[in-house]
Amino acid sequence: AFALQVAEEGGLPFLALGRRKADQARELLQEASKLLAARSWGVSLLGLASSEARPEHVAAVEESCPPYAIVDARQPQLASSLEGKGIATYLKVASPEALPALLAGGARRFIFEGLECGGVVGPLSSFALWEQAIQKLADAKLSADEASQIHVLLSGGVHDRRSAAMVAALAQPLIELGMKVGLLLGTPYLFTEEFVSTGAIVPGFQEEALQADHTVLLKTDDEHGM
């Protein structure tokens, strides 16, 4: 229901499958397919290839065939497979050094997600990652046609006018090359009325978020922070 609210306001909502059991993931995707049938929407697959539910998640995504997907940059073959089924797929890139190989392999949609993001994050701060990744794209010397196919989403730490202005300045070289640039937002939704009214979170969760004055990056047994 919240994804529908985002779509109706002009955003592109993504549903995170996380570590859901296979039957739960399939049920979620089937419900979303019906509710968002006339809208653009997508699904985010957990980056850890070791996840036991991963094969079932991939099968469920291929079955429901959402218009968009997000996968980890370490699984370019999965992205290519989903693209072959008509699912436009973004690769979540944590290291700018990976970009040349991804571009050479045909990838054209990227998410540059710094460590200020919620969830699984990479080792670099957002602005350091963005600046280096944008330079890599500029140095790739793509043709005008190739550049027009590039979609970049910047994520992490965009929370006010100043940070938004910094994003606009950083993105300008890509825009001048004809690439498409946007933002991936997650945490800000915690503070919307719709997030509670649609049941995505309970009121108490939002109340705790409103009372907080800082965030902490927790480390787990996985190879990334959460």
Side-chain angles (χ1 to χ4, degrees):
F2 181 68
L4 179 61
Q5 289 280 323
V6 173
E8 288 183 340
E9 294 298 328
L12 174 58
F14 282 90
L15 303 172
L17 295 186
R19 297 183 184 273
R20 283 180 172 83
K21 294 181 179 179
D23 56 342
Q24 294 174 328
R26 183 167 279 103
E27 181 180 353
L28 176 66
L29 291 172
Q30 289 174 348
E31 181 181 354
S33 295
K34 295 178 181 178
L35 193 62
L36 297 161
R39 306 281 184 175
S40 290
W41 63 286
V43 60
S44 176
L45 286 158
L46 190 65
L48 299 174
S50 59
S51 171
E52 295 179 0
R54 187 172 184 77
E56 289 81 2
H57 282 184
V58 173
V61 170
E62 292 177 342
E63 181 182 311
S64 61
C65 205
Y68 295 89
I70 296 174
V71 304
D72 192 277
R74 291 169 296 177
Q75 280 91 45
Q77 292 182 334
L78 173 57
S80 179
S81 175
L82 294 176
E83 287 275 357
K85 292 177 170 56
I87 303 173
T89 303
Y90 286 88
L91 286 165
K92 194 179 290 186
V93 179
S95 171
E97 302 304 323
L99 273 175
L102 294 173
L103 287 168
R108 293 294 181 265
R109 296 175 186 270
F110 306 101
I111 295 172
F112 301 144
E113 183 180 77
L115 59 79
E116 290 86 357
C117 291
V120 179
V121 297
L124 297 178
S125 64
S126 296
F127 287 103
L129 172 62
W130 298 345
E131 186 174 29
Q132 294 177 44
I134 288 171
Q135 189 60 53
K136 288 285 185 184
L137 288 177
D139 292 343
K141 306 300 182 184
L142 300 174
S143 67
D145 182 59
E146 290 173 324
S148 68
Q149 299 172 28
I150 300 294
H151 293 238
V152 173
L153 298 181
L154 305 178
S155 181
V158 184
H159 66 287
D160 59 11
R161 290 177 179 270
R162 180 177 297 177
S163 55
M166 292 171 72
V167 169
L170 278 172
Q172 193 59 34
L174 300 186
I175 294 171
E176 291 175 356
L177 290 172
M179 300 180 189
K180 299 174 179 65
V181 183
L183 295 177
L184 178 67
L185 299 178
T187 306
Y189 286 128
L190 290 175
F191 307 98
T192 64
E193 294 180 4
E194 293 85 354
F195 214 33
V196 175
S197 65
T198 58
I201 58 173
V202 297
F205 193 109
Q206 187 176 73
E207 291 168 7
E208 289 297 322
L210 288 169
Q211 293 174 15
D213 60 6
H214 66 283
T215 60
V216 176
L217 182 66
L218 300 179
K219 291 292 184 178
T220 71
D221 290 336
D222 296 327
E223 58 189 294
H224 293 294
M226 291 292 287

